[in-house]
Amino acid sequence: MNIITIDLGGTNTRVARFDDQRVAKIVGQPIRRRNTHDYENDLSFIVKTALELSGATKIDALGIGVPGRVNDEKTDMIASNNLPEWTNRRFCDRLAQSLHCSVYMDNDGVAAGLGEGYFGDTQSDFHYLIWGTGISGVLVEYKGEDKIIATYIRPDYKAFFDEWESECGGAALTRKYGKPGEELVQDDWAQINTLFAKYLHEYIKLAQPSKIVFGGGLAIHHAETITGHAKEMNIPIEITQFTADSGLVGALGLVRRGIVSAYN
């Protein structure tokens, strides 16, 4: 198969190619670009890059994880704090028409959770939390052979996630400090990580996960600090084994879920 996956983030977009919906091995190198926040420009980049990665080979399917709430039909993003210009644009139809393939779309946390569930080492229920431009959560449940359900649970704890994101999300930190995260000093991060730990502790009390897997740029960058909370909070806390590629592997998980569903 020739599968294109898109990690559409609030800050950057990454595009990759896979040749098997059951194997999380990227073919070649992913292509990354910082978003312009011009919808037509960024959509054109995705189409152009997908064709470039595929060469003369027909694209069989495309998976795309998006940073926001999607409609029940999984055909459009209807709300997004960090990518509002993409909401209600029917971009899945545009991609399907431009690339002549099936398109599988869902929230980026759901995608990453499916990727971890299908292709990772965890084989029991867990919560997948993203700490990057924003903060979000997904419940991943195993329901039998090759059947994994990932449920976007931010709406269930909306007020809590909104507050956590407003204090610790990457976009909020840039607004608060007036500079991007990579320019913050050690003392800044000490304060942020203390605050983040407080919210994490509250989340565990509120949602009662049996295990947490973290993804997202900030989580990966601060992996040692996050996993250090596991003993204190008395549950397993891990960082995704797919690190920066978790969104691309997650989009592959969307394709796999779609293909499995079509045969069941």
Side-chain angles (χ1 to χ4, degrees):
M1 296 186 73
N2 182 25
I3 300 168
I4 297 295
T5 69
I6 316 294
D7 178 9
L8 180 65
T11 303
N12 300 296
T13 293
R14 301 179 79 226
V15 187
R17 177 175 174 257
F18 294 81
D19 60 10
D20 190 334
Q21 53 96 2
R22 300 187 68 89
V23 181
K25 183 178 180 181
I26 295 174
V27 178
Q29 293 295 319
I31 296 176
R32 174 186 179 220
R33 190 182 83 160
R34 193 173 186 87
N35 295 336
T36 66
H37 294 282
D38 176 324
Y39 168 73
E40 291 294 342
N41 185 290
D42 291 336
L43 183 67
S44 294
F45 162 74
I46 289 174
V47 172
K48 177 176 176 291
T49 305
L51 293 171
E52 179 183 329
L53 289 174
S54 297
T57 306
K58 179 186 180 302
I59 298 172
D60 295 300
L62 180 145
I64 177 169
V66 301
R69 187 158 57 92
V70 305
N71 61 358
D72 291 341
E73 297 77 22
K74 317 296 185 193
T75 57
D76 208 1
M77 181 165 63
I78 57 177
S80 176
N81 291 334
N82 298 312
L83 218 58
E85 67 274 11
W86 279 73
T87 59
N88 299 306
R89 299 300 292 260
R90 306 294 296 184
F91 57 87
C92 286
D93 289 344
R94 290 275 300 276
L95 290 169
Q97 291 164 8
S98 298
L99 299 172
H100 308 289
C101 68
S102 299
V103 174
Y104 302 95
M105 184 270 290
D106 210 325
N107 167 265
D108 54 3
V110 170
L114 283 172
E116 198 74 28
Y118 279 128
F119 309 111
D121 295 331
T122 300
Q123 296 297 314
S124 59
D125 297 355
F126 63 95
H127 285 212
Y128 191 96
L129 299 184
I130 292 180
W131 183 25
T133 304
I135 298 176
S136 196
V138 172
L139 169 62
V140 181
E141 301 174 280
Y142 288 79
K143 297 294 185 180
E145 185 178 357
D146 213 25
K147 185 174 183 182
I148 297 172
I149 297 175
T151 305
Y152 185 49
I153 57 175
R154 177 164 178 157
D156 296 337
Y157 307 102
K158 184 179 185 306
F160 177 81
F161 273 113
D162 285 350
E163 183 179 334
W164 194 0
E165 183 173 282
S166 72
E167 293 285 354
C168 301
L173 293 175
T174 298
R175 290 192 296 269
K176 179 179 179 180
Y177 289 92
K179 53 188 175 182
E182 56 267 25
E183 296 180 15
L184 297 180
V185 299
Q186 186 174 351
D187 286 348
D188 295 330
W189 279 113
Q191 294 176 0
I192 294 165
N193 284 321
T194 296
L195 186 60
F196 187 88
K198 178 181 81 74
Y199 278 102
L200 177 58
H201 183 71
E202 291 178 7
Y203 179 79
I204 291 170
K205 287 174 60 179
L206 182 67
Q208 299 186 335
S210 57
K211 178 178 180 177
I212 294 175
V213 177
F214 267 99
L218 289 178
I220 291 165
H221 189 71
H222 297 275
E224 186 175 345
T225 300
I226 288 178
T227 54
H229 297 314
K231 185 175 181 181
E232 170 193 346
M233 300 187 185
N234 204 32
I235 69 166
I237 300 176
E238 299 176 1
I239 303 296
T240 173
Q241 68 189 75
F242 301 111
T243 60
D245 293 331
S246 58
L248 296 170
V249 173
L252 181 66
L254 295 178
V255 173
R256 181 167 172 179
R257 181 182 68 178
I259 291 172
V260 168
S261 297
Y263 287 95
N264 289 320

PDB file of all heavy atoms in Angstrom, residues 203-223:
ATOM      1  N   TYR A 203      -5.503  15.812  37.727  1.00  0.00           N
ATOM      2  CA  TYR A 203      -6.105  15.001  36.666  1.00  0.00           C
ATOM      3  C   TYR A 203      -6.219  13.543  37.090  1.00  0.00           C
ATOM      4  O   TYR A 203      -7.244  12.888  36.849  1.00  0.00           O
ATOM      5  CB  TYR A 203      -5.282  15.101  35.381  1.00  0.00           C
ATOM      6  CG  TYR A 203      -5.848  14.260  34.265  1.00  0.00           C
ATOM      7  CD1 TYR A 203      -6.936  14.707  33.527  1.00  0.00           C
ATOM      8  CD2 TYR A 203      -5.320  13.000  33.970  1.00  0.00           C
ATOM      9  CE1 TYR A 203      -7.483  13.929  32.522  1.00  0.00           C
ATOM     10  CE2 TYR A 203      -5.857  12.222  32.961  1.00  0.00           C
ATOM     11  CZ  TYR A 203      -6.939  12.695  32.239  1.00  0.00           C
ATOM     12  OH  TYR A 203      -7.489  11.907  31.249  1.00  0.00           O
ATOM     13  N   ILE A 204      -5.183  13.023  37.711  1.00  0.00           N
ATOM     14  CA  ILE A 204      -5.205  11.626  38.149  1.00  0.00           C
ATOM     15  C   ILE A 204      -6.310  11.400  39.176  1.00  0.00           C
ATOM     16  O   ILE A 204      -7.023  10.393  39.133  1.00  0.00           O
ATOM     17  CB  ILE A 204      -3.825  11.227  38.700  1.00  0.00           C
ATOM     18  CG1 ILE A 204      -2.802  11.179  37.557  1.00  0.00           C
ATOM     19  CG2 ILE A 204      -3.874   9.883  39.421  1.00  0.00           C
ATOM     20  CD1 ILE A 204      -1.372  11.038  37.992  1.00  0.00           C
ATOM     21  N   LYS A 205      -6.489  12.336  40.078  1.00  0.00           N
ATOM     22  CA  LYS A 205      -7.580  12.232  41.062  1.00  0.00           C
ATOM     23  C   LYS A 205      -8.934  12.317  40.381  1.00  0.00           C
ATOM     24  O   LYS A 205      -9.881  11.617  40.747  1.00  0.00           O
ATOM     25  CB  LYS A 205      -7.447  13.348  42.096  1.00  0.00           C
ATOM     26  CG  LYS A 205      -6.296  13.163  43.085  1.00  0.00           C
ATOM     27  CD  LYS A 205      -6.139  14.362  43.991  1.00  0.00           C
ATOM     28  CE  LYS A 205      -7.393  14.618  44.816  1.00  0.00           C
ATOM     29  NZ  LYS A 205      -7.220  15.778  45.724  1.00  0.00           N
ATOM     30  N   LEU A 206      -9.044  13.163  39.363  1.00  0.00           N
ATOM     31  CA  LEU A 206     -10.317  13.403  38.693  1.00  0.00           C
ATOM     32  C   LEU A 206     -10.713  12.255  37.765  1.00  0.00           C
ATOM     33  O   LEU A 206     -11.832  11.737  37.819  1.00  0.00           O
ATOM     34  CB  LEU A 206     -10.213  14.708  37.890  1.00  0.00           C
ATOM     35  CG  LEU A 206     -11.450  15.199  37.143  1.00  0.00           C
ATOM     36  CD1 LEU A 206     -12.537  15.606  38.127  1.00  0.00           C
ATOM     37  CD2 LEU A 206     -11.079  16.385  36.251  1.00  0.00           C
ATOM     38  N   ALA A 207      -9.786  11.824  36.894  1.00  0.00           N
ATOM     39  CA  ALA A 207     -10.101  10.844  35.854  1.00  0.00           C
ATOM     40  C   ALA A 207      -9.745   9.413  36.235  1.00  0.00           C
ATOM     41  O   ALA A 207     -10.215   8.471  35.612  1.00  0.00           O
ATOM     42  CB  ALA A 207      -9.375  11.226  34.566  1.00  0.00           C
ATOM     43  N   GLN A 208      -8.889   9.224  37.236  1.00  0.00           N
ATOM     44  CA  GLN A 208      -8.479   7.919  37.748  1.00  0.00           C
ATOM     45  C   GLN A 208      -7.972   6.959  36.670  1.00  0.00           C
ATOM     46  O   GLN A 208      -8.450   5.821  36.546  1.00  0.00           O
ATOM     47  CB  GLN A 208      -9.633   7.281  38.531  1.00  0.00           C
ATOM     48  CG  GLN A 208     -10.063   8.109  39.731  1.00  0.00           C
ATOM     49  CD  GLN A 208     -11.100   7.435  40.587  1.00  0.00           C
ATOM     50  OE1 GLN A 208     -11.859   6.580  40.111  1.00  0.00           O
ATOM     51  NE2 GLN A 208     -11.148   7.790  41.849  1.00  0.00           N
ATOM     52  N   PRO A 209      -7.001   7.394  35.865  1.00  0.00           N
ATOM     53  CA  PRO A 209      -6.420   6.476  34.877  1.00  0.00           C
ATOM     54  C   PRO A 209      -5.571   5.415  35.560  1.00  0.00           C
ATOM     55  O   PRO A 209      -4.989   5.660  36.616  1.00  0.00           O
ATOM     56  CB  PRO A 209      -5.546   7.403  34.026  1.00  0.00           C
ATOM     57  CG  PRO A 209      -5.144   8.489  34.979  1.00  0.00           C
ATOM     58  CD  PRO A 209      -6.338   8.703  35.878  1.00  0.00           C
ATOM     59  N   SER A 210      -5.493   4.229  34.946  1.00  0.00           N
ATOM     60  CA  SER A 210      -4.621   3.187  35.487  1.00  0.00           C
ATOM     61  C   SER A 210      -3.200   3.337  34.953  1.00  0.00           C
ATOM     62  O   SER A 210      -2.249   2.835  35.548  1.00  0.00           O
ATOM     63  CB  SER A 210      -5.158   1.801  35.122  1.00  0.00           C
ATOM     64  OG  SER A 210      -5.287   1.666  33.723  1.00  0.00           O
ATOM     65  N   LYS A 211      -3.067   4.060  33.831  1.00  0.00           N
ATOM     66  CA  LYS A 211      -1.754   4.308  33.231  1.00  0.00           C
ATOM     67  C   LYS A 211      -1.877   5.532  32.332  1.00  0.00           C
ATOM     68  O   LYS A 211      -2.943   5.779  31.755  1.00  0.00           O
ATOM     69  CB  LYS A 211      -1.294   3.101  32.411  1.00  0.00           C
ATOM     70  CG  LYS A 211       0.043   3.302  31.700  1.00  0.00           C
ATOM     71  CD  LYS A 211       0.460   2.045  30.952  1.00  0.00           C
ATOM     72  CE  LYS A 211       1.799   2.264  30.252  1.00  0.00           C
ATOM     73  NZ  LYS A 211       2.286   1.039  29.578  1.00  0.00           N
ATOM     74  N   ILE A 212      -0.790   6.297  32.217  1.00  0.00           N
ATOM     75  CA  ILE A 212      -0.764   7.454  31.338  1.00  0.00           C
ATOM     76  C   ILE A 212       0.425   7.343  30.396  1.00  0.00           C
ATOM     77  O   ILE A 212       1.539   7.022  30.817  1.00  0.00           O
ATOM     78  CB  ILE A 212      -0.658   8.776  32.132  1.00  0.00           C
ATOM     79  CG1 ILE A 212      -1.921   9.012  32.961  1.00  0.00           C
ATOM     80  CG2 ILE A 212      -0.426   9.961  31.181  1.00  0.00           C
ATOM     81  CD1 ILE A 212      -1.833  10.231  33.866  1.00  0.00           C
ATOM     82  N   VAL A 213       0.170   7.585  29.108  1.00  0.00           N
ATOM     83  CA  VAL A 213       1.232   7.738  28.120  1.00  0.00           C
ATOM     84  C   VAL A 213       1.160   9.170  27.609  1.00  0.00           C
ATOM     85  O   VAL A 213       0.094   9.633  27.210  1.00  0.00           O
ATOM     86  CB  VAL A 213       1.084   6.746  26.952  1.00  0.00           C
ATOM     87  CG1 VAL A 213       2.179   6.987  25.912  1.00  0.00           C
ATOM     88  CG2 VAL A 213       1.133   5.306  27.452  1.00  0.00           C
ATOM     89  N   PHE A 214       2.279   9.872  27.629  1.00  0.00           N
ATOM     90  CA  PHE A 214       2.333  11.258  27.183  1.00  0.00           C
ATOM     91  C   PHE A 214       2.932  11.353  25.787  1.00  0.00           C
ATOM     92  O   PHE A 214       3.904  10.680  25.447  1.00  0.00           O
ATOM     93  CB  PHE A 214       3.205  12.100  28.122  1.00  0.00           C
ATOM     94  CG  PHE A 214       2.452  12.785  29.226  1.00  0.00           C
ATOM     95  CD1 PHE A 214       2.430  12.230  30.494  1.00  0.00           C
ATOM     96  CD2 PHE A 214       1.768  13.976  28.999  1.00  0.00           C
ATOM     97  CE1 PHE A 214       1.751  12.854  31.531  1.00  0.00           C
ATOM     98  CE2 PHE A 214       1.083  14.599  30.029  1.00  0.00           C
ATOM     99  CZ  PHE A 214       1.072  14.043  31.298  1.00  0.00           C
ATOM    100  N   GLY A 215       2.357  12.248  24.984  1.00  0.00           N
ATOM    101  CA  GLY A 215       2.926  12.647  23.708  1.00  0.00           C
ATOM    102  C   GLY A 215       2.909  14.155  23.603  1.00  0.00           C
ATOM    103  O   GLY A 215       2.441  14.849  24.509  1.00  0.00           O
ATOM    104  N   GLY A 216       3.403  14.675  22.495  1.00  0.00           N
ATOM    105  CA  GLY A 216       3.453  16.123  22.303  1.00  0.00           C
ATOM    106  C   GLY A 216       4.860  16.650  22.494  1.00  0.00           C
ATOM    107  O   GLY A 216       5.663  16.083  23.246  1.00  0.00           O
ATOM    108  N   GLY A 217       5.148  17.754  21.805  1.00  0.00           N
ATOM    109  CA  GLY A 217       6.496  18.287  21.801  1.00  0.00           C
ATOM    110  C   GLY A 217       7.041  18.639  23.163  1.00  0.00           C
ATOM    111  O   GLY A 217       8.197  18.321  23.489  1.00  0.00           O
ATOM    112  N   LEU A 218       6.236  19.288  23.998  1.00  0.00           N
ATOM    113  CA  LEU A 218       6.720  19.675  25.320  1.00  0.00           C
ATOM    114  C   LEU A 218       6.907  18.455  26.222  1.00  0.00           C
ATOM    115  O   LEU A 218       7.858  18.395  27.003  1.00  0.00           O
ATOM    116  CB  LEU A 218       5.769  20.676  25.968  1.00  0.00           C
ATOM    117  CG  LEU A 218       5.765  22.072  25.337  1.00  0.00           C
ATOM    118  CD1 LEU A 218       4.757  22.980  26.032  1.00  0.00           C
ATOM    119  CD2 LEU A 218       7.156  22.697  25.388  1.00  0.00           C
ATOM    120  N   ALA A 219       6.003  17.489  26.114  1.00  0.00           N
ATOM    121  CA  ALA A 219       6.146  16.268  26.923  1.00  0.00           C
ATOM    122  C   ALA A 219       7.428  15.526  26.564  1.00  0.00           C
ATOM    123  O   ALA A 219       8.151  15.043  27.441  1.00  0.00           O
ATOM    124  CB  ALA A 219       4.935  15.363  26.714  1.00  0.00           C
ATOM    125  N   ILE A 220       7.715  15.439  25.281  1.00  0.00           N
ATOM    126  CA  ILE A 220       8.921  14.739  24.843  1.00  0.00           C
ATOM    127  C   ILE A 220      10.166  15.490  25.313  1.00  0.00           C
ATOM    128  O   ILE A 220      11.142  14.890  25.774  1.00  0.00           O
ATOM    129  CB  ILE A 220       8.901  14.574  23.314  1.00  0.00           C
ATOM    130  CG1 ILE A 220       7.789  13.582  22.921  1.00  0.00           C
ATOM    131  CG2 ILE A 220      10.252  14.092  22.791  1.00  0.00           C
ATOM    132  CD1 ILE A 220       7.436  13.602  21.458  1.00  0.00           C
ATOM    133  N   HIS A 221      10.120  16.817  25.223  1.00  0.00           N
ATOM    134  CA  HIS A 221      11.268  17.627  25.624  1.00  0.00           C
ATOM    135  C   HIS A 221      11.526  17.539  27.136  1.00  0.00           C
ATOM    136  O   HIS A 221      12.672  17.626  27.582  1.00  0.00           O
ATOM    137  CB  HIS A 221      11.036  19.078  25.217  1.00  0.00           C
ATOM    138  CG  HIS A 221      12.241  19.959  25.383  1.00  0.00           C
ATOM    139  ND1 HIS A 221      13.345  19.864  24.569  1.00  0.00           N
ATOM    140  CD2 HIS A 221      12.525  20.927  26.284  1.00  0.00           C
ATOM    141  CE1 HIS A 221      14.255  20.742  24.939  1.00  0.00           C
ATOM    142  NE2 HIS A 221      13.783  21.393  25.997  1.00  0.00           N
ATOM    143  N   HIS A 222      10.447  17.352  27.900  1.00  0.00           N
ATOM    144  CA  HIS A 222      10.569  17.291  29.360  1.00  0.00           C
ATOM    145  C   HIS A 222      10.246  15.887  29.871  1.00  0.00           C
ATOM    146  O   HIS A 222       9.668  15.722  30.949  1.00  0.00           O
ATOM    147  CB  HIS A 222       9.641  18.327  30.005  1.00  0.00           C
ATOM    148  CG  HIS A 222       9.999  19.738  29.650  1.00  0.00           C
ATOM    149  ND1 HIS A 222      10.941  20.468  30.326  1.00  0.00           N
ATOM    150  CD2 HIS A 222       9.555  20.538  28.650  1.00  0.00           C
ATOM    151  CE1 HIS A 222      11.060  21.665  29.780  1.00  0.00           C
ATOM    152  NE2 HIS A 222      10.236  21.733  28.755  1.00  0.00           N
ATOM    153  N   ALA A 223      10.644  14.881  29.095  1.00  0.00           N
ATOM    154  CA  ALA A 223      10.307  13.489  29.397  1.00  0.00           C
ATOM    155  C   ALA A 223      10.783  13.055  30.778  1.00  0.00           C
ATOM    156  O   ALA A 223      10.041  12.428  31.537  1.00  0.00           O
ATOM    157  CB  ALA A 223      10.898  12.575  28.320  1.00  0.00           C
TER     158      ALA A 223
END
